Amino acid sequence: MIVGNGEVGEGEAGIIEAADFVVRFNDCRSYGAGGSRTDAIAVCNTGRPAKAMLGSPEWRAHPGVVSAREIWSVRDPEKFAAMRVPLDVSHPDLDDFCDDYTEAFGAFCAETGKAHVVIDKSIHEAVDASLSAFAPAPYVVPSSGMIVIAEVLSKFPGAEVMLAGFGHVGWEWHPFAAERQLVDGYIAAGRLRRLGGKTLVSSSYGA
């Protein structure tokens, strides 16, 4: 079960709780209304979201963070290091977007007895290639949700994978329209299932 930061529909918490493995994102906004089981937290390990989480005692003490067995860093440091100079030209306002905090998340995991998984840049690049079929408008990076979906489908091809809390809306530089089309294609092919629910708009580039 991959639980995004959108609102989870009434009655869906029980389905999420019954899953064998639950992934949430960043500050676990889905925790509570979307159940409490949290096996892994996928984090934006660069830029402002990473700095905010690591510097927050509240994040470190969040029951979802405490109970998670794994932290997944969705941004390969090598990939984002290579993006820094082009982004300085195309999006100068994102001057801290590629600041890397992967080692700090690794240290947090070592301190708290969690496994630290860094999603390889090959997943990011495969998502970019898949999204290109839908002719997205220029974007900076796929959303963390799309990266995690691709990672799970790659690593666990035989698993039943369900989504909750995915509205495909948020930060303007994620290709959400193309991501919705790609996810709908995976659903049509039987690779994913989607629980219903309302959407919650996030303005953070860490969504």
Side-chain angles (χ1 to χ4, degrees), residues 6 30 38 52 61 68 111 113:
S30 63
T38 309
E111 292 165 10

Side-chain angles (χ1 to χ4, degrees), residues 125-198:
E125 290 163 0
V127 169
D128 283 334
S130 296
L131 290 170
S132 68
F134 304 103
Y139 65 93
V140 174
V141 290
S143 69
S144 299
M146 195 68 245
I147 297 295
V148 168
I149 290 169
E151 170 79 350
V152 170
L153 292 179
S154 174
K155 279 196 171 179
F156 309 104
E160 179 184 13
V161 183
M162 299 188 73
L163 306 181
F166 272 76
H168 306 291
V169 292
W171 188 49
E172 63 180 318
W173 295 116
H174 290 322
F176 282 117
E179 289 187 6
R180 180 185 289 276
Q181 290 178 282
L182 180 57
V183 168
D184 286 347
Y186 288 146
I187 291 168
R191 300 187 68 192
L192 289 174
R193 292 174 60 194
R194 190 200 296 271
L195 296 181
K198 299 176 183 178

Side-chain angles (χ1 to χ4, degrees), residues 27-51:
D27 55 3
C28 295
R29 211 175 307 162
S30 63
Y31 191 95
S36 61
R37 177 163 186 171
T38 309
D39 297 286
I41 298 174
V43 298
C44 292
N45 49 302
T46 71
R48 295 166 216 166
K51 185 177 182 180

